[in-house]
Amino acid sequence: MTPLEYDRAFIWHPYASLKDPPPVRLVTSANGVNLTLDDGRELVDAVSSWWCVAHGHNHPAIVEAIRRQSERLCHVMFGGFTHEPAVELAQRLAGIAPKGLNRVFFADSGSISVEVACKMAIQYHVSLGHPERNRLVALKGAYHGDTSLCMALSDPDGMHTLFKGIMTRHFFAEKPDAPFPGSAVAPVRTAPEQPSVFIASLQRIFDEHPGEIAAVICEPVFQAANAMNFYSPDCLAEMRRVCDENGALLIFDEIAAGFHRTGPLWAHQSKTSGNRATTPDIMTVGKALTGGHITLAAAIASERVAETISSGRPSAFMHGPTYMANPLACAAALASLELFAHSDYAAKVVRIERAFRDGLAPLRGLANVKDVRVLGAAAVVEVERLPAHRDIERVIDGHGVWLRPFSNYIYAMPPLVSDEGTISRIVEALSDLARSEPGPAPADSEFHE
Ligand SMILES: Cc1ncc(COP(=O)(O)O)c(C=O)c1O
């Protein structure tokens, strides 16, 4: 049997049925923005392999860092031990995190870092003598991961509805209704300028559940996997205000949007209309942290949160994944942060944004296109209905561009090192898809990212 036949016989792929599954392609190597397939063809990875390969695949500096580290120490438990890559990485993360966030808890995936952040918020209130403050507020349209607490904080009508019955009930504010200024390429949305409906709904939750809420969690500015929604940074300032007035913590999940995806290093650094900076109490990072070379994430907490937990009972923070702070991953992240520090990605992303805007503008007004929006290195064409699978495959193979549309979204989030030629190939592929015949109404299994 060929590797693909073995794959078909033994492997379960994410968000996929075993019955009549869409094809999988066999990748043999990768370099820069390109994936190489077993038959020698190359595909531009226009989704940065689920948004993490910021510097391009197999970046020599990151590969070398992993190789060097592998000769010294591949893994050691983090309970009772530490190691230099973790120490150095924590220092660097604290240096680039928002002011006041300097306590780093490493995790082995984005979802786990979100679980950790939420547990920190709950344990913080336990330590203050308020165990009844154990509910969280998330946003409709949110996605925070696939583990059970993360599912319970992701859009209740999104990809995890199936598991509603077993999820702890938390509270959901409305999807932020004020778009990120200037993100609409085809301004068909008639959303208000002010974050009115959203803030009112958030305020209502606090009014109706006084003393119950530990924290509000959101993906700042860019709700990715469940909504592909770019919203105004003013909403962040309002969340901060409501949290402060009600004694709740604020958690920013920067896993998808961080590391320059929307422009600045952190998405929450986008300017509000009042030019205010909004700072969370806890922030999660993952995905591009290692440049997409090996899994690593972190929850970074303020000293106040860490001190309060450490002064409570129990005084230990109750979490500890086996592979936390894996030395290979920390070494990769250090090399990745070095690249972020010296590559002027903010300027690169401005160029990518402009190319997407200009290239996708002609899609406005197409019958199947509901909205076209671009923010930083993320471009979204929202359609009434996705094209049929065969059309998606035709576009991927025909243009040599790997895209993975889901729900109603045809989108690209390419590596931040993509040059003009790469972006224009991606634009052509997106445009071809947007102009294709709408396919049948999606089955449930086709909803997901
Ligand atoms: C905003 C956000 N948070 C958390 C996660 C979960 O990260 P992971 O897939 O590494 O568990 C994702 C993944 O897409 C995400 O987009």
Side-chain angles (χ1 to χ4, degrees), residues 403-424:
L403 294 169
R404 194 165 157 94
F406 69 98
S407 183
N408 289 6
Y409 309 113
I410 295 169
Y411 79 96
M413 289 167 66
L416 305 182
V417 291
S418 300
D419 62 14
E420 234 172 86
T422 302
I423 299 298
S424 71

Side-chain angles (χ1 to χ4, degrees), residues 16 71 84 118 172 175-176 190 232 262 341 380 402:
E71 289 171 356
E84 281 176 10
C118 294
F172 283 91
K175 190 165 120 179
T190 52
S232 166
T262 68
V380 182
W402 171 241

